[in-house]
Coordinates of all heavy atoms in Angstrom, one line a residue:
G1 N -9.1 80.5 184.9 CA -9.2 81.6 183.9 C -8.8 82.9 184.6 O -8.9 83.1 185.8
V2 N -8.5 83.9 183.7 CA -8.2 85.2 184.2 C -9.4 86.1 183.9 O -10.0 86.1 182.8 CB -7.0 85.8 183.4 CG1 -6.7 87.2 183.8 CG2 -5.8 84.9 183.7
Y3 N -9.8 86.9 184.9 CA -10.9 87.8 184.7 C -10.5 88.9 183.7 O -9.5 89.5 183.8 CB -11.2 88.5 186.1 CG -12.4 89.4 186.1 CD1 -13.7 88.9 186.1 CD2 -12.2 90.8 186.1 CE1 -14.7 89.8 186.1 CE2 -13.2 91.6 186.1 CZ -14.5 91.2 186.1 OH -15.6 92.0 186.1
L4 N -11.4 89.2 182.8 CA -11.2 90.2 181.8 C -11.8 91.6 182.4 O -13.0 91.7 182.5 CB -12.0 89.9 180.5 CG -12.0 90.9 179.4 CD1 -10.5 91.1 178.9 CD2 -12.8 90.5 178.3
H5 N -10.9 92.5 182.7 CA -11.3 93.7 183.3 C -11.8 94.7 182.2 O -11.1 95.0 181.3 CB -10.2 94.4 184.1 CG -9.8 93.5 185.3 ND1 -10.5 93.5 186.5 CD2 -8.8 92.7 185.5 CE1 -9.9 92.7 187.3 NE2 -8.9 92.2 186.7
R6 N -13.1 95.2 182.4 CA -13.6 96.2 181.5 C -14.3 97.3 182.3 O -14.8 97.0 183.4 CB -14.7 95.5 180.6 CG -14.0 94.5 179.6 CD -14.9 94.2 178.5 NE -15.8 95.2 177.9 CZ -15.4 96.1 177.0 NH1 -14.2 96.1 176.6 NH2 -16.3 96.9 176.5
A7 N -14.3 98.5 181.8 CA -14.9 99.6 182.5 C -16.3 99.7 182.1 O -16.8 100.7 181.6 CB -14.1 100.9 182.1
S8 N -17.1 98.7 182.4 CA -18.5 98.6 182.2 C -19.2 98.2 183.5 O -18.8 97.2 184.1 CB -18.9 97.7 181.1 OG -18.4 98.1 179.8
R9 N -20.3 98.9 183.8 CA -21.0 98.6 185.0 C -21.7 97.2 184.8 O -22.3 97.0 183.8 CB -22.1 99.6 185.3 CG -21.6 100.8 185.9 CD -22.8 101.8 186.2 NE -22.4 103.0 185.6 CZ -23.2 103.8 184.9 NH1 -24.5 103.4 184.7 NH2 -22.8 104.9 184.4
G10 N -21.5 96.3 185.7 CA -22.1 95.0 185.6 C -21.3 94.0 184.9 O -21.8 92.8 184.7
C11 N -20.1 94.3 184.4 CA -19.3 93.3 183.7 C -18.9 92.2 184.6 O -18.4 92.4 185.7 CB -18.1 94.0 183.2 SG -17.0 92.9 182.2
V12 N -19.1 91.0 184.1 CA -18.7 89.8 184.9 C -17.5 89.1 184.3 O -17.1 88.0 184.7 CB -19.9 88.8 185.1 CG1 -21.0 89.4 185.9 CG2 -20.4 88.3 183.7
G13 N -16.9 89.7 183.2 CA -15.7 89.1 182.6 C -15.9 87.9 181.7 O -15.0 87.1 181.7
S14 N -17.1 87.8 181.1 CA -17.3 86.6 180.2 C -16.5 86.6 179.0 O -16.4 85.5 178.3 CB -18.8 86.5 179.9 OG -19.2 87.6 179.2
G15 N -16.0 87.7 178.5 CA -15.1 87.8 177.4 C -15.8 87.8 176.0 O -15.1 87.6 175.0
V16 N -17.1 88.0 176.0 CA -17.8 88.0 174.7 C -18.4 89.3 174.4 O -19.4 89.4 173.7 CB -18.8 86.8 174.6 CG1 -18.2 85.5 174.6 CG2 -19.8 86.9 175.7
W17 N -17.9 90.4 175.0 CA -18.5 91.7 174.9 C -18.6 92.2 173.4 O -19.5 93.0 173.1 CB -17.7 92.7 175.7 CG -16.2 92.7 175.3 CD1 -15.2 92.0 175.9 CD2 -15.6 93.5 174.3 NE1 -14.0 92.3 175.3 CE2 -14.2 93.2 174.3 CE3 -16.0 94.4 173.3 CZ2 -13.3 93.7 173.4 CZ3 -15.1 94.9 172.4 CH2 -13.8 94.6 172.5
A18 N -17.8 91.7 172.5 CA -17.9 92.2 171.1 C -19.2 91.6 170.5 O -19.7 92.2 169.5 CB -16.7 91.7 170.3
F19 N -19.8 90.6 171.1 CA -21.0 90.0 170.5 C -22.2 90.3 171.3 O -23.3 89.7 171.0 CB -20.8 88.5 170.4 CG -19.5 88.1 169.6 CD1 -18.4 87.7 170.3 CD2 -19.4 88.3 168.3 CE1 -17.2 87.4 169.6 CE2 -18.3 88.0 167.6 CZ -17.2 87.6 168.3
G20 N -22.1 91.1 172.3 CA -23.3 91.4 173.2 C -23.0 90.8 174.5 O -22.5 89.6 174.6
C21 N -23.3 91.5 175.6 CA -23.0 91.0 176.9 C -24.1 90.1 177.4 O -25.2 90.6 177.6 CB -22.7 92.2 177.8 SG -22.3 91.7 179.5
P22 N -23.8 88.9 177.8 CA -24.8 88.0 178.3 C -25.3 88.4 179.7 O -26.4 88.1 180.1 CB -24.1 86.6 178.4 CG -22.7 86.9 178.4 CD -22.5 88.2 177.7
S23 N -24.5 89.3 180.4 CA -25.0 89.7 181.8 C -25.6 91.1 181.7 O -26.0 91.6 182.7 CB -23.8 89.7 182.7 OG -22.9 90.7 182.4
G24 N -25.7 91.7 180.5 CA -26.2 93.0 180.4 C -25.3 94.2 180.9 O -25.8 95.3 181.1
G25 N -24.1 93.9 181.0 CA -23.1 94.9 181.5 C -22.6 95.8 180.5 O -22.1 96.9 180.9
K26 N -22.7 95.6 179.2 CA -22.2 96.4 178.2 C -23.0 97.7 178.2 O -24.2 97.7 178.1 CB -22.2 95.7 176.8 CG -21.5 96.5 175.8 CD -21.3 95.6 174.5 CE -20.5 96.3 173.5 NZ -20.4 95.5 172.3
Q27 N -22.3 98.9 178.2 CA -22.9 100.2 178.2 C -23.2 100.6 176.7 O -22.6 101.6 176.2 CB -22.0 101.2 178.9 CG -21.8 100.8 180.3 CD -23.0 100.7 181.2 OE1 -23.7 101.7 181.4 NE2 -23.4 99.5 181.6
H28 N -24.1 100.0 176.1 CA -24.5 100.3 174.7 C -25.6 101.4 174.7 O -26.1 101.8 175.7 CB -24.9 99.1 173.9 CG -26.1 98.4 174.5 ND1 -27.4 98.8 174.4 CD2 -26.2 97.3 175.3 CE1 -28.2 98.0 175.0 NE2 -27.5 97.1 175.6
T29 N -25.9 101.9 173.5 CA -26.8 103.0 173.4 C -28.1 102.7 174.0 O -28.8 103.6 174.6 CB -27.0 103.3 171.8 OG1 -25.7 103.7 171.3 CG2 -27.9 104.4 171.6
G30 N -28.6 101.5 173.9 CA -29.9 101.1 174.5 C -29.9 101.2 176.0 O -31.0 101.4 176.6
N31 N -28.8 101.1 176.6 CA -28.7 101.2 178.1 C -28.4 102.7 178.5 O -28.5 103.0 179.7 CB -27.6 100.3 178.7 CG -28.0 98.9 178.7 OD1 -29.2 98.6 178.6 ND2 -27.0 98.0 178.8
T32 N -27.8 103.5 177.6 CA -27.3 104.8 178.1 C -28.1 105.9 177.5 O -28.8 106.6 178.2 CB -25.8 104.9 177.7 OG1 -25.7 104.7 176.3 CG2 -24.9 103.9 178.4
Y33 N -28.0 106.2 176.2 CA -28.6 107.3 175.6 C -30.1 107.2 175.3 O -30.9 108.2 175.4 CB -27.9 107.7 174.3 CG -26.5 108.1 174.6 CD1 -25.4 107.2 174.2 CD2 -26.1 109.3 175.2 CE1 -24.1 107.6 174.4 CE2 -24.8 109.6 175.5 CZ -23.8 108.7 175.1 OH -22.5 109.1 175.4
V34 N -30.6 106.1 174.9 CA -32.0 105.9 174.6 C -32.9 106.2 175.8 O -33.9 107.0 175.6 CB -32.3 104.5 174.0 CG1 -33.8 104.3 173.8 CG2 -31.6 104.4 172.6
P35 N -32.7 105.7 177.0 CA -33.6 106.1 178.1 C -33.6 107.6 178.4 O -34.6 108.1 178.7 CB -33.0 105.3 179.3 CG -32.3 104.1 178.6 CD -31.8 104.6 177.4
R36 N -32.4 108.2 178.2 CA -32.4 109.7 178.4 C -33.2 110.4 177.3 O -33.8 111.4 177.6 CB -30.9 110.1 178.4 CG -30.2 109.8 179.7 CD -28.9 110.6 179.8 NE -27.8 109.7 179.6 CZ -26.6 110.1 179.5 NH1 -26.3 111.3 179.4 NH2 -25.6 109.2 179.4
A37 N -33.1 109.9 176.1 CA -33.8 110.5 175.0 C -35.3 110.4 175.3 O -36.1 111.3 175.1 CB -33.5 109.9 173.7
W38 N -35.8 109.2 175.7 CA -37.2 109.0 176.0 C -37.7 109.9 177.1 O -38.7 110.5 177.0 CB -37.5 107.5 176.4 CG -37.4 106.5 175.3 CD1 -37.5 106.8 174.0 CD2 -37.1 105.2 175.5 NE1 -37.4 105.6 173.3 CE2 -37.1 104.6 174.2 CE3 -36.8 104.4 176.6 CZ2 -36.9 103.2 173.9 CZ3 -36.6 103.0 176.3 CH2 -36.6 102.5 175.0
D39 N -36.8 110.1 178.1 CA -37.2 111.0 179.2 C -37.3 112.4 178.7 O -38.1 113.2 179.3 CB -36.1 110.9 180.3 CG -36.2 109.6 181.1 OD1 -37.2 108.9 181.0 OD2 -35.2 109.4 181.8
A40 N -36.6 112.8 177.7 CA -36.7 114.1 177.1 C -37.8 114.3 176.1 O -37.9 115.3 175.5 CB -35.3 114.5 176.5
G41 N -38.6 113.2 175.9 CA -39.7 113.3 174.9 C -39.5 112.6 173.6 O -40.4 112.7 172.7
A42 N -38.3 112.0 173.4 CA -38.1 111.3 172.1 C -39.0 110.1 171.9 O -39.5 109.5 172.9 CB -36.6 110.8 172.0
V43 N -39.3 109.8 170.6 CA -40.2 108.7 170.3 C -39.4 107.7 169.5 O -38.6 108.0 168.6 CB -41.4 109.2 169.5 CG1 -42.2 108.0 169.0 CG2 -42.2 110.2 170.2
T44 N -39.5 106.4 169.8 CA -38.8 105.3 169.1 C -39.9 104.6 168.2 O -40.9 104.2 168.8 CB -38.2 104.3 170.0 OG1 -37.3 105.0 170.9 CG2 -37.4 103.2 169.3
V45 N -39.6 104.4 167.0 CA -40.5 103.7 166.1 C -39.8 102.5 165.5 O -38.7 102.6 165.0 CB -41.0 104.6 164.9 CG1 -41.9 103.8 164.0 CG2 -41.7 105.8 165.4
T46 N -40.4 101.3 165.6 CA -39.8 100.1 165.1 C -40.6 99.6 163.9 O -41.8 100.0 163.8 CB -39.7 98.9 166.1 OG1 -41.1 98.6 166.6 CG2 -38.9 99.3 167.3
G47 N -40.0 98.8 163.0 CA -40.8 98.3 161.9 C -41.0 99.4 160.8 O -41.9 99.2 160.0
A48 N -40.2 100.5 160.8 CA -40.4 101.5 159.8 C -39.0 101.9 159.3 O -38.0 101.7 159.9 CB -41.0 102.7 160.4
R49 N -39.0 102.4 158.1 CA -37.7 102.8 157.4 C -37.9 104.2 156.9 O -38.8 104.5 156.2 CB -37.5 101.8 156.2 CG -36.3 102.1 155.5 CD -36.1 101.2 154.3 NE -34.8 101.2 153.9 CZ -34.1 100.2 153.5 NH1 -34.7 99.0 153.5 NH2 -32.9 100.3 153.1
A50 N -36.9 105.0 157.4 CA -36.9 106.4 156.9 C -36.7 106.5 155.4 O -35.8 105.8 154.9 CB -35.9 107.2 157.7
T51 N -37.5 107.2 154.7 CA -37.3 107.4 153.3 C -36.8 108.8 152.9 O -36.1 108.9 151.9 CB -38.6 107.1 152.5 OG1 -39.6 107.9 153.0 CG2 -39.0 105.6 152.7
R52 N -37.1 109.8 153.7 CA -36.7 111.1 153.5 C -36.6 111.9 154.8 O -37.4 111.7 155.6 CB -37.6 111.9 152.6 CG -37.9 111.3 151.2 CD -36.7 111.5 150.3 NE -37.0 111.1 148.9 CZ -36.7 109.9 148.5 NH1 -36.2 109.0 149.2 NH2 -37.0 109.6 147.2
V53 N -35.6 112.8 154.9 CA -35.5 113.7 156.0 C -36.0 115.0 155.4 O -35.5 115.5 154.3 CB -34.0 113.9 156.5 CG1 -33.9 114.9 157.5 CG2 -33.5 112.5 157.0
L54 N -36.9 115.7 156.1 CA -37.4 116.9 155.7 C -36.8 118.0 156.6 O -37.2 118.2 157.7 CB -39.0 117.0 155.9 CG -39.7 115.8 155.3 CD1 -41.2 115.8 155.7 CD2 -39.6 115.8 153.8
P55 N -35.8 118.7 156.1 CA -35.0 119.6 156.9 C -35.9 120.6 157.6 O -36.7 121.3 157.0 CB -34.1 120.3 155.9 CG -33.9 119.3 154.8 CD -35.3 118.7 154.7
G56 N -35.7 120.7 159.0 CA -36.5 121.6 159.8 C -37.9 121.2 160.0 O -38.7 121.9 160.6
R57 N -38.4 120.1 159.4 CA -39.8 119.7 159.5 C -40.0 118.3 160.0 O -41.0 118.0 160.6 CB -40.4 119.8 158.1 CG -40.4 121.2 157.6 CD -41.2 121.4 156.4 NE -41.3 120.3 155.5 CZ -41.2 120.4 154.2 NH1 -41.1 121.5 153.6 NH2 -41.3 119.3 153.4
G58 N -39.1 117.3 159.8 CA -39.3 116.0 160.2 C -38.8 114.9 159.3 O -37.8 115.1 158.6
V59 N -39.5 113.8 159.3 CA -39.1 112.6 158.5 C -40.3 111.9 157.9 O -41.3 111.9 158.4 CB -38.4 111.5 159.4 CG1 -38.0 110.3 158.7 CG2 -37.1 112.1 160.1
L60 N -40.1 111.4 156.6 CA -41.0 110.5 156.0 C -40.5 109.1 156.2 O -39.3 108.9 156.0 CB -41.2 110.9 154.5 CG -41.7 112.2 154.2 CD1 -41.8 112.4 152.6 CD2 -43.1 112.5 154.7
A61 N -41.4 108.2 156.4 CA -41.0 106.8 156.6 C -42.1 105.9 156.0 O -43.2 106.3 155.6 CB -40.8 106.5 158.1
R62 N -41.7 104.6 155.9 CA -42.6 103.6 155.4 C -42.5 102.4 156.3 O -41.4 102.0 156.7 CB -42.2 103.1 154.0 CG -43.3 102.7 153.1 CD -42.7 102.5 151.7 NE -43.0 103.6 150.8 CZ -44.1 103.8 150.1 NH1 -45.1 102.9 150.2 NH2 -44.3 104.8 149.3
T63 N -43.6 101.8 156.6 CA -43.6 100.6 157.5 C -43.4 99.4 156.7 O -43.4 99.4 155.5 CB -44.9 100.5 158.3 OG1 -46.0 100.2 157.4 CG2 -45.2 101.8 159.1
T64 N -43.2 98.2 157.4 CA -43.0 97.0 156.7 C -44.3 96.6 156.0 O -44.2 95.8 155.0 CB -42.6 95.9 157.7 OG1 -43.6 95.9 158.8 CG2 -41.3 96.1 158.3
S65 N -45.4 97.1 156.4 CA -46.7 96.8 155.6 C -46.9 97.8 154.6 O -48.0 97.9 154.0 CB -47.9 96.7 156.6 OG -48.1 98.0 157.2
C66 N -46.0 98.7 154.3 CA -46.0 99.7 153.2 C -46.9 100.9 153.6 O -47.2 101.7 152.7 CB -46.4 99.1 151.9 SG -45.1 98.0 151.2
S67 N -47.3 101.1 154.8 CA -48.0 102.3 155.2 C -47.0 103.5 155.2 O -45.8 103.3 155.6 CB -48.6 102.2 156.6 OG -49.5 101.1 156.6
R68 N -47.4 104.6 154.8 CA -46.6 105.8 154.9 C -46.8 106.6 156.2 O -47.9 106.7 156.6 CB -46.9 106.7 153.7 CG -46.5 106.1 152.4 CD -46.9 107.0 151.3 NE -46.6 106.4 150.0 CZ -46.7 107.0 148.8 NH1 -47.0 108.2 148.8 NH2 -46.4 106.3 147.8
L69 N -45.7 107.1 156.7 CA -45.8 107.8 158.0 C -45.0 109.1 157.8 O -44.1 109.2 157.0 CB -45.1 107.0 159.1 CG -45.6 105.7 159.4 CD1 -44.7 105.0 160.5 CD2 -47.0 105.8 160.0
R70 N -45.5 110.1 158.5 CA -44.7 111.4 158.6 C -44.6 111.8 160.1 O -45.5 111.8 160.8 CB -45.5 112.5 157.9 CG -44.7 113.8 158.0 CD -45.4 114.9 157.3 NE -44.7 116.2 157.6 CZ -44.6 117.2 156.8 NH1 -45.1 117.1 155.6 NH2 -43.9 118.3 157.1
F71 N -43.3 112.1 160.4 CA -43.0 112.5 161.8 C -42.6 113.9 161.8 O -41.6 114.2 161.1 CB -42.0 111.6 162.4 CG -42.4 110.1 162.5 CD1 -42.0 109.2 161.5 CD2 -43.1 109.7 163.6 CE1 -42.4 107.9 161.6 CE2 -43.5 108.4 163.7 CZ -43.2 107.5 162.7
D72 N -43.3 114.8 162.4 CA -42.9 116.2 162.5 C -41.9 116.3 163.6 O -42.2 115.9 164.7 CB -44.1 117.1 162.6 CG -45.0 117.0 161.4 OD1 -44.5 117.0 160.3 OD2 -46.3 117.0 161.6
A73 N -40.8 117.0 163.4 CA -39.8 117.2 164.4 C -38.9 118.4 164.1 O -38.6 118.6 162.9 CB -39.0 115.9 164.6
D74 N -38.6 119.1 165.1 CA -37.6 120.2 164.9 C -36.2 119.7 164.7 O -35.4 120.3 164.0 CB -37.7 121.2 166.0 CG -39.0 121.9 166.2 OD1 -39.7 122.1 165.2 OD2 -39.4 122.2 167.3
L75 N -35.9 118.6 165.3 CA -34.6 118.0 165.3 C -34.7 116.6 164.9 O -35.5 115.8 165.4 CB -33.9 118.1 166.7 CG -32.6 117.5 166.9 CD1 -31.5 118.2 166.1 CD2 -32.2 117.5 168.3
V76 N -33.9 116.2 163.9 CA -33.8 114.8 163.5 C -32.3 114.3 163.6 O -31.4 115.0 163.1 CB -34.3 114.6 162.0 CG1 -34.1 113.2 161.5 CG2 -35.7 115.0 161.9
V77 N -32.1 113.2 164.2 CA -30.8 112.6 164.3 C -30.7 111.5 163.2 O -31.5 110.5 163.3 CB -30.5 112.0 165.7 CG1 -29.1 111.3 165.7 CG2 -30.5 113.1 166.7
V78 N -29.8 111.6 162.3 CA -29.7 110.5 161.2 C -28.5 109.7 161.6 O -27.4 110.1 161.7 CB -29.4 111.2 159.8 CG1 -29.3 110.1 158.8 CG2 -30.6 112.1 159.5
A79 N -28.7 108.4 161.9 CA -27.7 107.4 162.3 C -27.9 106.1 161.5 O -28.3 105.1 162.1 CB -27.7 107.2 163.8
C80 N -27.6 106.2 160.2 CA -27.8 105.0 159.4 C -26.5 104.3 159.0 O -26.5 103.5 158.1 CB -28.5 105.5 158.1 SG -30.0 106.4 158.4
G81 N -25.4 104.6 159.6 CA -24.2 104.0 159.3 C -23.4 104.7 158.2 O -23.9 105.7 157.6
T82 N -22.3 104.3 157.9 CA -21.4 105.0 156.9 C -21.9 104.9 155.5 O -21.6 105.8 154.7 CB -20.0 104.4 156.9 OG1 -20.0 103.0 156.6 CG2 -19.3 104.6 158.3
I83 N -22.7 104.0 155.1 CA -23.3 103.9 153.8 C -24.7 104.5 153.8 O -25.1 105.4 153.0 CB -23.4 102.5 153.3 CG1 -22.0 101.8 153.3 CG2 -24.0 102.4 151.9 CD1 -21.0 102.4 152.3
G84 N -25.5 104.1 154.8 CA -26.9 104.5 154.8 C -27.2 106.0 155.0 O -28.1 106.6 154.5
T85 N -26.3 106.6 155.9 CA -26.5 108.0 156.2 C -26.4 108.9 155.0 O -27.3 109.7 154.6 CB -25.6 108.5 157.3 OG1 -25.9 107.8 158.5 CG2 -25.7 110.0 157.6
P86 N -25.3 108.8 154.2 CA -25.2 109.7 153.0 C -26.3 109.4 152.0 O -26.7 110.2 151.2 CB -23.8 109.5 152.5 CG -23.2 108.4 153.3 CD -24.0 108.1 154.5
V87 N -26.7 108.1 151.9 CA -27.7 107.7 150.9 C -29.0 108.4 151.3 O -29.7 109.0 150.4 CB -27.8 106.2 150.8 CG1 -29.1 105.8 150.0 CG2 -26.6 105.6 150.2
L88 N -29.4 108.3 152.5 CA -30.7 108.9 153.0 C -30.6 110.4 152.8 O -31.6 111.0 152.3 CB -31.0 108.5 154.4 CG -32.2 109.2 155.0 CD1 -33.5 108.8 154.3 CD2 -32.3 108.8 156.5
L89 N -29.5 111.0 153.2 CA -29.4 112.5 153.0 C -29.4 112.9 151.6 O -30.0 113.9 151.2 CB -28.2 113.0 153.7 CG -28.2 112.8 155.3 CD1 -26.9 113.3 155.9 CD2 -29.4 113.6 155.9
S90 N -28.8 112.1 150.7 CA -28.8 112.4 149.3 C -30.2 112.3 148.7 O -30.6 113.2 147.9 CB -27.9 111.4 148.5 OG -27.9 111.6 147.1
W91 N -30.9 111.2 149.1 CA -32.3 111.1 148.6 C -33.2 112.3 149.1 O -34.0 112.8 148.4 CB -33.0 109.8 149.2 CG -32.5 108.6 148.5 CD1 -31.8 108.4 147.4 CD2 -32.6 107.3 149.1 NE1 -31.5 107.1 147.2 CE2 -32.0 106.4 148.2 CE3 -33.2 106.8 150.2 CZ2 -32.0 105.0 148.4 CZ3 -33.2 105.4 150.5 CH2 -32.6 104.5 149.6
S92 N -32.9 112.7 150.3 CA -33.6 113.8 150.9 C -33.4 115.2 150.2 O -34.3 116.0 150.0 CB -33.3 114.0 152.4 OG -33.6 112.8 153.1
L93 N -32.2 115.4 149.6 CA -31.9 116.6 148.9 C -32.6 116.6 147.6 O -32.9 117.7 147.1 CB -30.4 116.7 148.7 CG -29.5 117.0 149.9 CD1 -28.0 116.9 149.6 CD2 -29.9 118.3 150.5
T94 N -32.8 115.5 147.0 CA -33.4 115.5 145.6 C -35.0 115.4 145.7 O -35.6 115.4 144.7 CB -32.9 114.3 144.8 OG1 -33.2 113.1 145.5 CG2 -31.4 114.4 144.6
W95 N -35.5 115.2 146.9 CA -37.0 115.0 147.0 C -37.7 116.4 147.0 O -37.2 117.3 147.6 CB -37.3 114.3 148.3 CG -38.7 114.1 148.6 CD1 -39.5 113.2 148.0 CD2 -39.6 114.9 149.4 NE1 -40.8 113.3 148.4 CE2 -40.9 114.3 149.3 CE3 -39.4 116.0 150.2 CZ2 -42.0 114.8 150.0 CZ3 -40.5 116.5 150.9 CH2 -41.8 115.9 150.8
A96 N -38.8 116.4 146.3 CA -39.6 117.6 146.3 C -41.0 117.2 146.5 O -41.5 116.2 145.9 CB -39.5 118.3 144.9
P97 N -41.7 117.9 147.4 CA -43.1 117.5 147.7 C -44.0 117.7 146.5 O -43.8 118.6 145.7 CB -43.6 118.5 148.8 CG -42.5 119.6 148.8 CD -41.3 119.0 148.2
S98 N -45.0 116.8 146.3 CA -45.8 116.9 145.2 C -47.1 117.6 145.5 O -47.5 117.8 146.6 CB -46.2 115.5 144.6 OG -46.6 114.6 145.7

């Protein structure tokens, strides 16, 4: 076989990079930006779904067990994909605190 040359640290040329690298060589967000964000004080929450972005204040979310959470933050990065991002932002614009 022919080695598949890729510009990724740790690439062993398995040829399945589009599906996730079995050797961990793919430079995806979890290997690159997330550790840097954690070092800068970012918090990662799993098992929760953002329901509203509160501009300049943070995020409202719901867990899989339906608990409500509020995260206060000066900066929020919304990365929900091409459909989810505008939907979440649209919901956030129509939300008013009770």
Side-chain angles (χ1 to χ4, degrees):
V2 176
Y3 182 80
L4 176 66
H5 295 283
R6 293 195 36 83
S8 293
R9 282 184 234 134
C11 181
V12 296
S14 61
V16 294
W17 53 268
F19 306 105
C21 180
S23 68
K26 191 170 182 180
Q27 299 299 293
H28 59 80
T29 301
N31 284 342
T32 54
Y33 297 108
V34 172
R36 284 195 248 169
W38 289 336
D39 289 345
V43 176
T44 304
V45 177
T46 60
R49 179 182 199 141
T51 56
R52 300 287 186 269
V53 175
L54 309 172
R57 298 191 327 221
V59 176
L60 296 178
R62 213 174 259 275
T63 67
T64 52
S65 63
C66 294
S67 297
R68 293 180 184 187
L69 302 172
R70 178 181 172 143
F71 297 96
D72 296 321
D74 296 329
L75 175 68
V76 174
V77 176
V78 179
C80 306
T82 57
I83 303 295
T85 296
V87 169
L88 176 60
L89 294 176
S90 175
W91 289 342
S92 299
L93 291 173
T94 61
W95 180 78
S98 51

